[in-house]
Amino acid sequence: MPPRIDLRSDTVTQPTPAMREAMARARVGDDVFGEDPTVNELEALAASIFGKEAGLLVTSGTQGNLVCLLAHCNRGDEVIMGHDSHTYNYEQVGSAVLGGIAPRIVPNQPDGTLRLEDIEAAIMPDNVHFGVSRLVSLENTHNRRGGAFLTPDYTQAVADLAHRHGLKLHIDGARIFNAAVAQKADVKALTRDADSVTFCLSKGLSAPVGSVVVGSEAFIARARRMRKVLGGGMRQAGVIAAAGIVALTEMVDRLAEDHANARLLAEGLARLPGVEPEPVHTNIVYFRVDHPRYTAPALQDALQARGVGVLALGPDRIRAVTHYGIETGDIEETLDILEALL
Ligand code: TLP
């Protein structure tokens, strides 16, 4: 049974009534033949929102990132990414497993950035001893950095640096709409010179399944081949895409509510003994547990027993994520339960 107040992730969001209706009505066809009108509509909509030439519906954020890395790189190539990135930590480094692509790790700063000088130092010279540096991968918002967002200026600087050295830029934008809403920026500005972007429909935007990759026509044609070899050609996927269209047209602006609820949770946590919230940027709240009776896993279990789901990450750190379906009252109730426990 999922917890009554489920703050484990925004992946738990349920489709909205409008999504269910759109899914029921969706016109569909065989998408491997390029004949699903609803998938085609979603891919074109996503491309236009990001100011890119083309889009590709994929099964998940993990598949989207993998398809992009495989489409950018050859065997023996290197991808520069953050040591705390999702792609390095939570995707089984699929690009290495399946593509012979090596991650070259640089430290993530507290704000989720990679320092430009660290990126530059990680670019390998043309030398028979070294792999070929091909790609830089950024994450916006940054999951393990408390949902911190990257700015348009920073992203542009990384794109310029990468391109100056002949590398491409990929953005894992699983939560890029949170980044856009938090800084009142257009996603176009956050991804302008990126060569590929993956974003998720099935996180804060609440669609039941799917992510979308956007990039140039030529890049998306390669990515489409990679999706197929990974088993991601989905046939009548219009039922999924229909929910994705609702996600993009109706669910972006309301992310501000999730950010307000995350701030409310952190403010409440700051008043309680034995827990210390980290800075909150969007919809992800991390807090430290330093309490005589609770480790983070013990506090997670105590909350679970009272109907509140959070994720303990290590012995002293907990993550709580706000999303569609979590109301301000749920946050207040969570804080009341925590106060009684602590
Ligand atoms: N993140 C999930 C878990 O896998 C940890 C979560 O609950 O936050 N990029 C980023 C930044 C992500 O946070 C995630 C999912 C993905 C990619 C992968 O997306 P999916 O789960 O659709 O494969």
Side-chain angles (χ1 to χ4, degrees), residues 9 11 60-62 65 86 91 139 143 172 174-175 203 319:
S9 181
T11 58
S60 64
T62 301
N65 289 330
H86 192 278
E91 298 172 21
E139 183 173 319
N143 187 333
D172 174 0
R175 297 186 179 83
K203 294 198 168 59
R319 185 184 83 161

Side-chain angles (χ1 to χ4, degrees), residues 27-342:
R27 290 190 303 129
V28 298
D30 190 326
D31 180 49
V32 175
F33 292 152
E35 290 172 1
D36 188 301
T38 312
V39 171
N40 292 342
E41 185 184 335
L42 170 66
E43 291 177 346
L45 175 64
S48 80
I49 289 173
F50 282 81
K52 304 288 183 202
E53 289 174 8
L56 181 71
L57 174 64
V58 291
T59 56
S60 64
T62 301
Q63 190 182 63
N65 289 330
L66 178 55
V67 149
C68 288
L69 268 56
L70 292 172
H72 281 301
C73 301
N74 302 308
R75 296 187 73 80
D77 286 351
E78 295 188 357
V79 182
I80 296 168
M81 59 176 88
H83 80 289
D84 245 348
S85 63
H86 192 278
T87 301
Y88 186 54
N89 288 280
Y90 296 127
E91 298 172 21
Q92 293 188 31
V93 202
S95 54
V97 175
L98 300 172
I101 301 161
R104 181 158 293 270
I105 296 309
V106 299
N108 276 113
Q109 300 303 310
D111 61 1
T113 58
L114 310 176
R115 291 165 59 213
L116 295 180
E117 45 277 40
D118 289 341
I119 295 175
E120 193 149 24
I123 298 175
M124 307 309 285
D126 182 7
N127 179 306
V128 73
H129 294 89
F130 302 137
V132 177
S133 302
R134 188 74 66 188
L135 184 67
V136 179
S137 181
L138 294 176
E139 183 173 319
N140 194 10
T141 63
H142 204 285
N143 187 333
R144 291 185 25 144
R145 284 289 178 274
F149 52 79
L150 305 177
T151 63
D153 285 352
Y154 170 75
T155 310
Q156 190 62 47
V158 175
D160 291 346
L161 171 64
H163 293 157
R164 203 160 58 240
H165 289 273
L167 278 69
K168 304 285 189 194
L169 173 64
H170 171 68
I171 298 178
D172 174 0
R175 297 186 179 83
I176 195 131
F177 288 99
N178 293 88
V181 166
Q183 57 193 311
K184 298 188 172 59
D186 193 326
V187 286
K188 279 194 189 90
L190 290 172
T191 58
R192 205 180 65 208
D193 279 339
D195 300 283
S196 57
V197 184
T198 303
F199 70 91
C200 292
L201 300 166
S202 184
K203 294 198 168 59
L205 300 186
S206 311
V209 190
S211 296
V212 181
V213 172
V214 293
S216 69
E217 291 275 7
F219 175 78
I220 292 296
R222 282 200 304 284
R224 194 176 290 279
R225 287 187 62 82
M226 295 306 155
R227 183 187 70 171
K228 188 72 175 77
V229 78
L230 294 173
M234 289 188 289
R235 310 297 177 186
Q236 287 73 32
V239 284
I240 292 171
I245 292 168
V246 176
L248 286 176
T249 50
E250 296 183 9
M251 300 300 285
V252 171
D253 292 344
R254 64 153 304 287
L255 293 173
E257 294 170 32
D258 301 339
H259 299 174
N261 279 331
R263 282 195 300 274
L264 187 69
L265 178 60
E267 283 159 17
L269 285 166
R271 288 193 290 270
L272 295 176
V275 288
E276 183 65 40
E278 297 175 13
V280 172
H281 311 278
T282 50
N283 69 326
I284 301 179
V285 181
Y286 282 94
F287 56 98
R288 295 274 165 195
V289 181
D290 180 12
H291 191 273
R293 284 195 312 282
Y294 293 105
T295 60
L299 187 56
Q300 169 193 275
D301 292 348
L303 284 167
Q304 175 78 29
R306 288 156 185 81
V308 178
V310 294
L311 280 185
L313 297 153
D316 63 353
R317 197 171 182 226
I318 285 182
R319 185 184 83 161
V321 183
T322 56
H323 52 79
Y324 173 70
I326 295 295
E327 308 297 334
T328 299
D330 297 318
I331 300 297
E332 287 161 354
E333 191 181 337
T334 299
L335 288 168
D336 288 346
I337 292 169
L338 271 166
E339 184 169 13
L341 284 170
L342 297 168

